């Protein structure tokens, strides 16, 4: 095991995930991007096959770092009607667990409440799976997956914002 990964504590991971949630809720997307490694991925797998390979199965989102950056650029564009004005969100992160230390894999439960214009509040509930790395002494996101518990996604509306 790498020395940097052995030393990580659940508290450090929790603080990192809480900071990430705060940045996303505040729509500080450039600061959120700074938490990602240069080879990061972001995925929202099909809820009926959450452990499938994105090269062989349909995913709601399967972005590499270039697509993540493009998604953020689109979300920040005032002409992006899907998120103009931006949704108000509140993320609750619970049950944070280090499930593997080398590589550093972390899981946590989430609930995201999304308020959009005059729409009803949308609730997204599920589990995050992270691949984290140390970079310059700080934790960074190398992989992030949001596995939604909903069996039917159409009722949840768009997930263009970052879960």
């Amino acid at each position: 095991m790498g020395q940097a990964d052995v030393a990580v504590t659940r508290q450090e991971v929790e603080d990192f995930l809480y900071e990430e949630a705060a940045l996303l809720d505040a729509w500080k997307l450039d600061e959120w991007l700074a938490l990602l490694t240069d080879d990061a991925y972001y995925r929202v797998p099909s809820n009926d096959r959450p452990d499938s390979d994105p090269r062989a199965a349909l995913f709601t989102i399967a972005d590499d770092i270039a697509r993540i950056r493009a998604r953020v650029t689109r979300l920040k564009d005032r002409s992006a009607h899907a998120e103009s004005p931006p949704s108000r969100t509140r993320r609750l992160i619970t049950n944070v667990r280090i499930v593997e230390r080398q590589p550093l894999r972390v899981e946590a439960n989430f609930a995201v409440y999304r308020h959009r214009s005059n729409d009803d509040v949308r609730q997204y509930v599920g589990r995050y799976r992270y691949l984290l790395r140390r970079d310059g002494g700080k934790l960074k996101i190398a992989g992030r997956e949001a596995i939604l518990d909903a069996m039917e996604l159409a009722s949840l509306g768009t997930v263009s914002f970052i879960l």
Side-chain angles (χ1 to χ4, degrees):
M1 275 187 223
Q3 186 63 26
D5 291 338
V6 173
V8 71
T9 65
R10 185 178 44 81
Q11 182 66 53
E12 182 181 11
V13 169
E14 281 182 352
D15 290 347
F16 179 77
L17 297 184
Y18 297 157
E19 178 62 23
E20 180 202 23
L23 291 174
L24 288 170
D25 285 342
W27 281 84
K28 294 183 177 180
L29 299 179
D30 290 324
E31 291 176 48
W32 176 75
L33 277 176
L35 298 178
L36 279 60
T37 63
D38 287 335
D39 62 346
Y41 62 84
Y42 167 56
R43 298 177 185 148
V44 180
S46 167
N47 53 3
D48 63 338
R49 295 181 59 206
D51 295 317
S52 58
D53 184 328
R55 296 170 295 192
L58 182 62
F59 270 54
T60 304
I61 297 171
D63 290 354
D64 62 12
I65 191 65
R67 291 188 68 176
I68 295 168
R69 289 177 179 140
R71 182 179 298 276
V72 166
T73 298
R74 282 191 312 275
L75 287 171
K76 291 178 5 182
D77 187 341
R78 290 195 187 279
S79 66
H81 70 279
E83 286 301 331
S84 184
S87 297
R88 289 176 305 159
T89 58
R90 187 65 53 214
R91 287 164 176 79
L92 306 177
I93 312 295
T94 65
N95 299 55
V96 176
R97 300 166 311 285
I98 297 172
V99 295
E100 188 176 344
R101 291 199 173 266
Q102 186 62 20
L104 182 55
R105 295 191 186 278
V106 172
E107 292 186 1
N109 295 339
F110 71 83
V112 178
Y113 296 89
R114 180 184 188 214
H115 303 263
R116 175 99 180 107
S117 299
N118 293 324
D119 284 349
D120 291 334
V121 174
R122 302 281 176 129
Q123 299 175 37
Y124 304 84
V125 177
R127 170 173 54 110
Y128 287 133
R129 292 190 297 209
Y130 286 90
L131 173 62
L132 301 177
R133 284 191 210 130
R134 287 235 189 245
D135 184 4
K138 295 184 178 184
L139 289 176
K140 291 250 186 166
I141 300 168
R144 183 181 195 270
E145 292 181 319
I147 297 96
L148 294 164
D149 285 343
M151 291 308 295
E152 186 270 314
L153 297 181
S155 66
L156 296 178
T158 181
V159 292
S160 62
F161 71 102
I162 297 170
L163 292 175

